[in-house]
Every structure is written in structure tokens, then in C-alpha cells.
Amino acid sequence: MKRILSGFLCWSCCLFAVTIPREENLSPLFLDNGIELWLKPFSYPNRAISCRVIAKNPLEAVPQVFPLDCSIDAFEDELPYFVDLCKESIINESQCKISVVAVGDFEITNLVEFLKSAFEVFSLRMNVPAARMISVDPSGENDMVYLSLTYPTSFQEVKTDHDLKKLWMLYLLQSVVEERFRKTIKDTDGQWILTSQAKYMLPYANSVVRAKQMVGDDPSKMLVACLSAMHEIKSTGFSEQELSDAKAKLQKNLVNFYQTNPTNSMLADYLASLCSFGAGYPEYSIFMTLSFQAISEIERTDVADLLGSYFGDASRRVEMTVPPSINVSVAAVQEVLESHKTDHIVLSLKENGNNSGADSARELYNKLPLTEEEGGIIYQIIDTVGNLGEFKLWKRKEEINTLGSKVQHVHPFKFLEVVFNTPHLKQSMIKIEDSFLSQKWRGFFDGTDQQPGFTAKCEREFARDNFAPYIVGFCQVVKANPEQVRHFIEKKEWEKLVRFLIKLEN
């Protein structure tokens, strides 16, 4: 497989678009009641089976996925209880499309008959009536307003590497928009309602805002705020930092689905996501390998170009639940939608190269305060600690503590910027790292009884969530890899971060 995959990837680099092979030995079938089956004989491990029941509600962002992993000998006894559990647990079962994925050491004909009998408890799958675009339910709690704002998503089968790249562009766009919506809800004193999570790999079937807030003067406050946020993101786009955060989230999720030699269980999880989203069934190893490659190549302009396609005005669906005492009509919601249209906005970041996400990230980073005097104090501290012997440094301990207190408030990134953009200070930091028994190095990070060290400053800013917005801008200044710096920040590996910066050859 590795040799075939390597050859495939080399070939893919030479052509404009490459067809991704389908998963071998996979049999899609339908039962009489409309339940879709994806069955793949695969014996790793032997005499085992992994089954996934997927309930996809077209109005929800992600499906419900119910897993069963057991030996093939126990499957006959386990399945009836498993089906009953699924039947009881599926939310709004009559609205859901039900699918079953099975991967394991079985013979297809026998398994089909067995599944047909077990899943007879589900009624015939009928076409779900189209949801109303605006719904207002005046039967909610006395003091809460609930909002659901939905942008449905459709996607074609993944057949080529271009389709795959577009798939992950959509995922990243949804992530960026969702984070904007989350912040918007928070700014309106609302509370974001988390979507029930399944082990799911692909973009959402619907981009959804779900939130609630206490009744106030304007029950449409959250809706207006979210529509305004969509207007803003279509008008001005988003930063490289936002895209970088979305990529980190995506890559972290993909790792949960990756194994060099996938087991029955891993393949069942993989196929369950594909079956639910309607992305076809591309071959696992090639899909995963090309995905990591495609994600690294996606740029901000690629993602922004999809905004108009997937967040159109006509597709917006609003559901509100309000207390009986609050007068909110469908006509009033329609009026809000009419006054917040965005289809006319055409964002083309390619035409605005001078206003790129990189510039935005740098501009944001430059807002972190650092005076000329503070820069001079940082220079004096690092120069003194790096170039004086231990005895002379001990005699000037009080002076160093006093200087340190004057820059204790400075953001760690600005402190590091002064050090690593000044060749003499970078050499001084190398001396601190190489000091006898690393006493200077430990003092730099751990501080003293009178003065906190660099670690305490980093922990302070981390607790404030005050690193992520400035990573890209900082890395532009010191010419570092943002993903590597982000890794150290997320792991709170402050010493590794500084050692990494020391080794940069700028």
C-alpha cells in the first residue's frame, strides 16, 4: 500500500486533477424501509465487527452516530439491544435518514439478512417535509429567548483532489464563521448552546447558530447581531490568525481518524462521516494523506471565495422560541432579514493584496504596547544577565529585580521581540542558556522571591487567552513558523519556545 500510495502522490503532482479511487470491497445497499447500508468485509482484527448507526437530521449540523464494536461471535446477541438503544436515543427519529455502516470479518449476504431483521423496528423512511424558513414558537420559558440561525450546506461527492481541497476549504470557512458567531453571541450577553457531538470528521451539514439569552428590550438582539457579523465578515473577510486557528482545529480532528494501518473501528468511523455528509467513499489511505497535504496548501483567499456560495441570504433559516408574553411575529423576523441582506457583497481578497490577512495580523500585533524606555530596560536586563559572571550578577541582584518590575506588565511576545530582533541580545540569551548549571536560565524562567520570572508572565497571559490573537503577527516580526509557535503556546512549553527562537537563523 505504501508503495502504491507513494506512486499515486507523485502522479498527482503531475496532473491538473486526479481521480481518487473508491474504497475497495464496499457495498452500498438499501433495505426495504429505506435504511442505507454500507458494508465492507475487512478482517483487522480477525473475527471482529464494527457497526455504526447514523441518524442524520437535515435540520441539524452533525449526525448522531452510535457505535458498536464487538467480536463477530457476540454480534448476533449484541445487535438487538444496540438497535433498541439507537431507537430510543435518536432525536426526532421520524425526520432522520438512517444509515448503517459495518466493517468487519463477515460474509455480506448473511449480514444483510441479519441487519434487515434487526432494523425492521424503524418505519419506512419518508421524504421529510421542507422546514419553514422562519418559525416563531411563543411557548418558551418565561425569561429566555432561544435562537437558531441556519445556513444549509450541500456538497458533491469527493471524486478528485480538487474536490477534496474544496471540502476542507468549506470546513475551514465554517470554523471561522462559527468562531465569529460565538464571539458575537457573547458580546450580546447571550449563551452559546453546544451542538451534541459525535465522532465526526467532515464539514457540518448546516452551519448553525444556537444560542439563548435573558429577555430584554429587543428579543431579536441576537439575530440582528449575527446577521451584522455575517455582513462584516463578507465585507472585510477574516485574518490569517483566524484561518490558522481553524486549520489547527481541523488537523487536530483529522488526527483522531488517522491510522497507518486502520482497524475495523477506525474505518467504520471514517465511513460513517462520509456516509452522513454524502461525500462518496474515497479510499481511506489516499484520502487521509491528500487531506493533510491539501490543508497545508489552502490560503485565506481560497476560503473567502466560498462565502457567497455557502452563506446566501435565500438559504437563511430562523427559529425563535420566546416567552408567551413577548410579541415576536414571523413578519417581524422577516423584516429583520430583509434589512440585513449580504448577497450584494463581493469580497475579493485577491484584488486587495495590500490589505491581506498578514497585514491585519501584523497591525493587530503592533497594537501590543511597548515604549522605547521599556525596550531599553529589556536590553539592559538581558545584556547584564547574559554577560556578567555569577558573582558580579549576584551583587547587582537588587538592581536587576528593580528593572524587572518595570517591565513585568510587558506582553511576553514583545519582550521576546526585543531579544530576538537584536543580534547582541540573542547572543546574550544563548549565553544565558549555556550558563554554568543553567542557573541564569533557571532564574530567567523561575524568577526570584522578589520578582516573578518569564514563566509566570506567560502563564498570566495564557490564562487571559491573550496569546492566540498575536501569534501570526509575532511570527512575522521574528520570522518564525506560526504553527510551531502555536504548538508551544498550546502546550505551555515556554522553555521550548525560547529555545526554538534561539535556534532560528534570521
Side-chain angles (χ1 to χ4, degrees):
M1 173 55 73
K2 289 182 179 178
R3 184 175 298 174
I4 295 174
L5 182 57
S6 175
F8 176 84
L9 292 177
C10 292
W11 179 49
S12 71
C13 295
C14 302
L15 299 179
F16 183 70
V18 175
T19 300
I20 301 177
R22 289 185 169 187
E23 188 70 37
E24 295 180 351
N25 302 321
L26 178 64
S27 301
L29 306 165
F30 284 91
L31 298 179
D32 293 339
N33 58 359
I35 292 179
E36 185 175 11
L37 305 181
W38 280 21
L39 309 179
K40 179 178 173 63
F42 188 78
S43 53
Y44 184 63
N46 293 327
R47 303 296 299 167
I49 186 170
S50 293
C51 182
R52 303 290 181 266
V53 172
I54 306 120
K56 180 182 178 182
N57 187 326
L59 306 182
E60 298 294 334
V62 296
Q64 289 181 273
V65 181
F66 303 91
L68 173 63
D69 299 286
C70 63
S71 69
I72 198 69
D73 298 323
F75 186 63
E76 184 173 354
D77 294 329
E78 293 283 349
L79 186 62
Y81 298 103
F82 176 60
V83 172
D84 288 343
L85 173 65
C86 295
K87 180 76 173 174
E88 294 172 2
S89 303
I90 293 174
I91 301 171
N92 296 323
E93 185 249 316
S94 62
Q95 296 182 356
C96 295
K97 173 188 174 183
I98 307 296
S99 304
V100 180
V101 169
V103 180
D105 196 1
F106 53 74
E107 198 278 323
I108 288 181
T109 303
N110 294 337
L111 184 64
V112 169
E113 291 302 315
F114 189 45
L115 294 175
K116 181 178 180 180
S117 174
F119 283 89
E120 282 180 343
V121 296
F122 287 93
S123 58
L124 180 65
R125 300 291 98 188
M126 305 296 290
N127 291 329
V128 179
R132 289 177 292 174
M133 301 309 291
I134 301 176
S135 173
V136 179
D137 181 5
S139 61
E141 302 172 23
N142 289 330
D143 57 351
M144 299 299 293
V145 173
Y146 289 82
L147 168 70
S148 171
L149 172 62
T150 306
Y151 292 83
T153 300
S154 60
F155 199 87
Q156 75 275 16
E157 181 180 346
V158 175
K159 295 181 179 180
T160 70
D161 55 340
H162 288 188
D163 296 335
L164 183 62
K165 184 175 182 179
K166 188 175 180 180
L167 180 79
W168 297 130
M169 286 159 53
L170 172 58
Y171 185 110
L172 295 172
L173 175 61
Q174 288 181 338
S175 294
V176 168
V177 172
E178 180 180 291
E179 283 305 308
R180 285 286 189 95
F181 281 150
R182 282 175 181 265
K183 293 176 181 177
T184 298
I185 294 299
K186 183 178 180 181
D187 290 343
T188 58
D189 299 320
Q191 180 180 342
W192 187 269
I193 300 174
L194 293 175
T195 304
S196 58
Q197 294 297 309
K199 188 172 184 182
Y200 181 71
M201 178 178 62
L202 299 178
Y204 293 156
N206 297 285
S207 297
V208 177
V209 175
R210 278 213 172 83
K212 62 181 180 179
Q213 69 177 169
M214 298 292 292
V215 173
D217 297 333
D218 181 7
S220 299
K221 182 179 179 181
M222 291 189 297
L223 176 60
V224 170
C226 288
L227 296 175
S228 298
M230 178 54 65
H231 188 282
E232 179 182 358
I233 198 170
K234 281 191 174 183
S235 300
T236 62
F238 47 88
S239 68
E240 288 287 354
Q241 182 67 56
E242 289 177 287
L243 178 59
S244 183
D245 290 342
K247 282 189 176 184
K249 174 184 172 183
L250 171 54
Q251 289 168 336
K252 183 178 180 180
N253 188 38
L254 271 186
V255 167
N256 293 328
F257 287 85
Y258 181 73
Q259 290 176 342
T260 304
N261 298 303
T263 61
N264 294 339
S265 178
M266 183 61 72
L267 278 178
D269 289 334
Y270 165 75
L271 293 173
S273 288
L274 292 169
C275 180
S276 170
F277 192 68
Y281 43 98
E283 198 276 336
Y284 172 84
S285 296
I286 295 175
F287 178 94
M288 296 302 294
T289 303
L290 286 180
S291 289
F292 286 109
Q293 176 182 321
I295 293 165
S296 68
E297 296 172 353
I298 292 174
E299 298 180 354
R300 179 169 162 265
T301 51
D302 298 325
V303 178
D305 286 344
L306 298 182
L307 269 167
S309 302
Y310 288 98
F311 290 91
D313 295 338
S315 68
R316 299 178 296 189
R317 188 166 57 233
V318 178
E319 296 178 34
M320 290 185 66
T321 303
V322 299
S325 59
I326 300 298
N327 184 22
V328 178
S329 65
V330 170
V333 175
Q334 182 65 50
E335 185 177 345
V336 171
L337 293 176
E338 289 294 327
S339 62
H340 290 82
K341 289 189 173 182
T342 59
D343 282 350
H344 64 284
I345 302 172
V346 180
L347 174 67
S348 181
L349 300 178
K350 294 174 183 176
E351 296 175 1
N352 295 294
N354 294 329
N355 188 26
S356 67
D359 292 336
S360 300
R362 181 68 169 270
E363 182 179 347
L364 178 63
Y365 174 73
N366 287 341
K367 292 180 180 179
L368 285 175
L370 179 73
T371 67
E372 185 176 344
E373 179 184 3
E374 290 164 348
I377 291 173
I378 293 170
Y379 186 102
Q380 190 174 351
I381 291 172
I382 299 301
D383 176 56
T384 302
V385 175
N387 295 287
L388 286 186
E390 299 284 351
F391 179 71
K392 289 184 178 180
L393 189 59
W394 178 80
K395 292 179 66 175
R396 296 180 62 177
K397 180 174 64 173
E398 293 300 325
E399 177 188 346
I400 298 298
N401 284 335
T402 301
L403 290 172
S405 66
K406 294 181 179 180
V407 292
Q408 184 61 222
H409 62 282
V410 172
H411 193 286
F413 278 167
K414 300 302 284 187
F415 191 103
L416 294 174
E417 175 190 341
V418 174
V419 174
F420 291 104
N421 275 5
T422 309
H424 173 71
L425 293 189
K426 183 172 182 178
Q427 291 302 314
S428 299
M429 184 59 77
I430 292 173
K431 293 177 181 178
I432 292 173
E433 181 188 21
D434 293 339
S435 61
F436 178 68
L437 297 178
S438 296
Q439 289 183 6
K440 293 182 181 180
W441 182 256
R442 290 267 47 86
F444 175 77
F445 283 97
D446 299 341
T448 65
D449 294 339
Q450 300 159 315
Q451 191 65 38
F454 188 74
T455 295
K457 293 176 65 170
C458 291
E459 293 289 344
R460 177 193 69 205
E461 298 302 322
F462 186 88
R464 296 172 178 171
D465 196 20
N466 204 27
F467 273 113
Y470 306 110
I471 290 175
V472 172
F474 168 70
C475 289
Q476 290 173 5
V477 171
V478 298
K479 299 180 177 60
N481 183 331
E483 295 306 317
Q484 187 64 63
V485 170
R486 186 186 310 281
H487 171 79
F488 293 131
I489 296 295
E490 290 177 349
K491 299 290 186 181
K492 300 203 293 186
E493 294 175 335
W494 315 122
E495 292 190 39
K496 289 185 178 180
L497 170 62
V498 176
R499 292 187 194 275
F500 166 73
L501 296 173
I502 287 175
K503 293 177 181 177
L504 291 178
E505 297 181 1
N506 296 332

